[in-house]
Amino acid sequence: MLTFLGFLMIFIFMILIMNKKMTPLTALVLVPVLIAVVAGFGPDLGKMMKEGVKEIALTGVMLIFAILYFSLMIDTGLFEPLVNVILKAVGDNPVKTTIGTALLTTLVSLDGDGSSTYIIVVAALLPLYKKQGMNPLVLTCIIMLAGGIMNILPWGGPTARVMSSLKLGHTEIFVPMIPVMVIGLIWVFFVAYILGVREKKRISKHGKYTKYSGQDIAGENDPALRRPKLIIINLILTIILLCVMILDIIPLGIAFMIAFCIASLINYPKLKDQQKIISKHAGNALSVAGMIFGAGIFTGILNGTGIMNAMGNSIISIVPKTWGGYLNVITAIFSVPLTFFLTNDAYYFGILPVITATGSHLNIPPDILGRASLVGQASHLLSPLVPSTYLLVSLAGVEFSDHLKFTLKWAIGSSIVMLLSALVLGII
């Protein structure tokens, strides 16, 4: 019953947002609450939702001030020289732009933090997409595909969870996955090329894309907010912020909060200008924060009711015992839906140990199953349970439902490519 309720919850959520019957925030809050009440969990709802929101609170704070900080930097013109350099390099060629998007995302993703990658890449490239009249869904698609592959880095999250859960080191889990990641990235660049060619044909046939959102991170250009004389100071401040982030000196949310306040004071000493900046970007920051806290309620109810664990165990239980010898392949295949419908913590700390315990009876080493469980990460970032996904779509000013429909087939393609390459190379 819990499994049925879990899949029903996610199914209703996906249908509502993909058909644009509700906003993601509304669906994230109301759908799980309604299902939990019907299932008899009403008296415990308050506690479940509180725990879910507490778990995600610092992430929400970080994203609010990260958006405000980088939006301010775009207003000052910090990224204008970078955009002009890239524009000179790619010309008016969408193919070069999409390939450049894949390259920049791959490089920035080396820090292992998806949220900062989204903010930096979208801040740098969305103005370029606007100048060329390209569809921002292409931008979000390529960023997410490259980010999904790079998410396997040991400091990215999933791999660290696997190593912790199975008590194994990076040489046993991550190092053998490097060739698979390389092949996955080749696929991402191939997809970027295809999307670039499509955009080039569309622009030549139908003209430039113009339906950009005024609530994206680039916003509307306001010459009065430009601060060309402060570019060096803003660049130094941003580099210091990135160093603090990489070295993990203080919590990231606090770092962005302090950096935003300093940047506001340096660039806009007048109070009315500071208020103008906050008012201009408050809508975007609030939109992201609302969805982040909504996702906290969603996952809080999934965890508190036991639905999430029930879903994972039920999927595993449908595998016939006679297929036990293929547990490595089954684990890799099922990692795609499991990491999509479950959080990484639920999957790697709750489900993977059960799989490896089964594998020990079948003489299948845990490191093989651990690597197999990472194959699904290529599609994981599209999950509605991943908070940073809402950040990406809000930064680019696109609907979550449109992004999901546009990107899903390419993300599944990434998972298939990684699965086949892992099998052929004997990684799993």
Side-chain angles (χ1 to χ4, degrees):
M1 178 56 75
L2 288 177
T3 301
F4 171 75
L5 290 174
F7 282 111
L8 178 65
M9 190 185 300
I10 293 175
F11 177 75
I12 292 174
F13 170 80
M14 300 288 279
I15 292 295
L16 288 173
I17 63 166
M18 291 184 76
N19 289 300
K20 298 185 178 178
K21 300 296 183 182
M22 282 188 184
T23 64
L25 169 60
T26 307
L28 281 166
V29 175
L30 295 185
V31 172
V33 167
L34 180 62
I35 296 291
V37 169
V38 171
F41 291 101
D44 301 316
L45 265 181
K47 184 179 178 181
M48 293 177 193
M49 293 188 289
K50 181 181 177 182
E51 288 301 315
V53 171
K54 280 171 63 178
E55 284 287 324
I56 217 158
L58 280 178
T59 301
V61 171
M62 183 272 288
L63 296 181
I64 289 172
F65 285 94
I67 289 171
L68 289 175
Y69 178 83
F70 280 102
S71 296
L72 182 151
M73 286 301 165
I74 289 174
D75 285 334
T76 64
L78 174 64
F79 295 100
E80 197 67 30
L82 175 61
V83 172
N84 291 333
V85 168
I86 297 174
L87 197 56
K88 276 185 179 179
V90 303
D92 197 19
N93 190 334
V95 179
K96 290 182 179 179
T97 301
T98 53
I99 292 175
T101 302
L103 178 60
L104 182 61
T105 305
T106 301
L107 294 175
V108 177
S109 293
L110 287 170
D111 72 349
D113 183 79
S115 298
S116 61
T117 297
Y118 296 159
I119 294 169
I120 293 168
V121 177
V122 175
L125 294 182
L126 185 58
L128 180 63
Y129 273 67
K130 286 187 173 184
K131 285 184 178 180
Q132 294 188 338
M134 295 176 64
N135 189 338
L137 286 172
V138 173
L139 174 63
T140 58
C141 175
I142 296 171
I143 290 175
M144 184 148 284
L145 291 179
I149 305 297
M150 297 300 287
N151 201 34
I152 298 175
L153 289 168
W155 50 89
T159 303
R161 288 175 173 86
V162 172
M163 293 188 295
S164 175
S165 177
L166 303 184
K167 306 295 187 293
L168 296 171
H170 72 281
T171 54
E172 297 150 300
I173 299 296
F174 170 68
V175 174
M177 287 294 290
I178 293 176
V180 179
M181 290 179 64
V182 171
I183 294 172
L185 287 173
I186 291 172
W187 161 258
V188 172
F189 279 91
F190 175 66
V191 172
Y193 173 79
I194 292 174
L195 293 177
V197 170
R198 286 186 179 180
E199 276 299 283
K200 190 174 183 179
K201 289 179 179 178
R202 185 193 59 76
I203 292 171
S204 63
K205 188 175 181 180
H206 301 291
K208 292 186 175 183
Y209 183 91
T210 56
K211 299 176 183 177
Y212 297 102
S213 169
Q215 291 296 316
D216 59 42
I217 192 173
E220 301 297 331
N221 287 328
D222 186 348
L225 297 175
R226 287 281 189 267
R227 296 292 185 269
K229 294 181 180 179
L230 296 174
I231 280 184
I232 299 300
I233 294 175
N234 287 329
L235 179 61
I236 292 172
L237 180 61
T238 303
I239 290 172
I240 292 173
L241 175 61
L242 294 176
C243 290
V244 169
M245 178 186 71
I246 293 169
L247 298 174
D248 197 22
I249 296 173
I250 59 175
L252 197 51
I254 305 301
F256 272 114
M257 192 181 295
I258 294 171
F260 171 70
C261 293
I262 294 173
S264 297
L265 201 58
I266 291 174
N267 290 279
Y268 307 106
K270 294 181 180 179
L271 181 61
K272 65 176 183 178
D273 290 334
Q274 293 176 20
Q275 292 172 335
K276 183 179 180 180
I277 287 292
I278 293 174
S279 298
K280 181 181 179 184
H281 301 294
N284 197 15
L286 180 61
S287 172
V288 174
M291 288 189 286
I292 295 300
F293 290 121
I297 287 177
F298 197 103
T299 54
I301 291 175
L302 280 177
N303 284 322
T305 56
I307 286 175
M308 191 168 283
N309 284 335
M311 288 168 65
N313 291 325
S314 295
I315 291 177
I316 293 173
S317 67
I318 67 174
V319 179
K321 292 182 179 180
T322 53
W323 293 9
Y326 302 99
L327 186 61
N328 53 335
V329 180
I330 293 169
T331 300
I333 293 172
F334 273 84
S335 70
V336 178
L338 282 170
T339 55
F340 186 86
F341 290 117
L342 305 178
T343 63
N344 275 336
D345 285 336
Y347 178 54
Y348 291 113
F349 292 128
I351 306 303
L352 184 59
V354 176
I355 296 173
T356 52
T358 305
S360 66
H361 297 295
L362 300 168
N363 295 319
I364 300 178
D367 60 315
I368 288 180
L369 295 174
R371 294 193 293 269
S373 71
L374 290 170
V375 170
Q377 284 301 314
S379 305
H380 169 69
L381 294 179
L382 263 181
S383 170
L385 302 180
V386 178
S388 60
T389 303
Y390 301 108
L391 171 66
L392 175 62
V393 296
S394 294
L395 293 173
V398 301
E399 294 287 339
F400 178 83
S401 55
D402 294 333
H403 169 66
L404 182 62
K405 286 186 280 190
F406 188 92
T407 308
L408 185 59
K409 59 181 178 293
W410 302 112
I412 292 174
S414 293
S415 294
I416 293 173
V417 167
M418 292 188 70
L419 172 61
L420 294 176
S421 58
L423 287 170
V424 171
L425 296 173
I427 306 299
I428 61 172

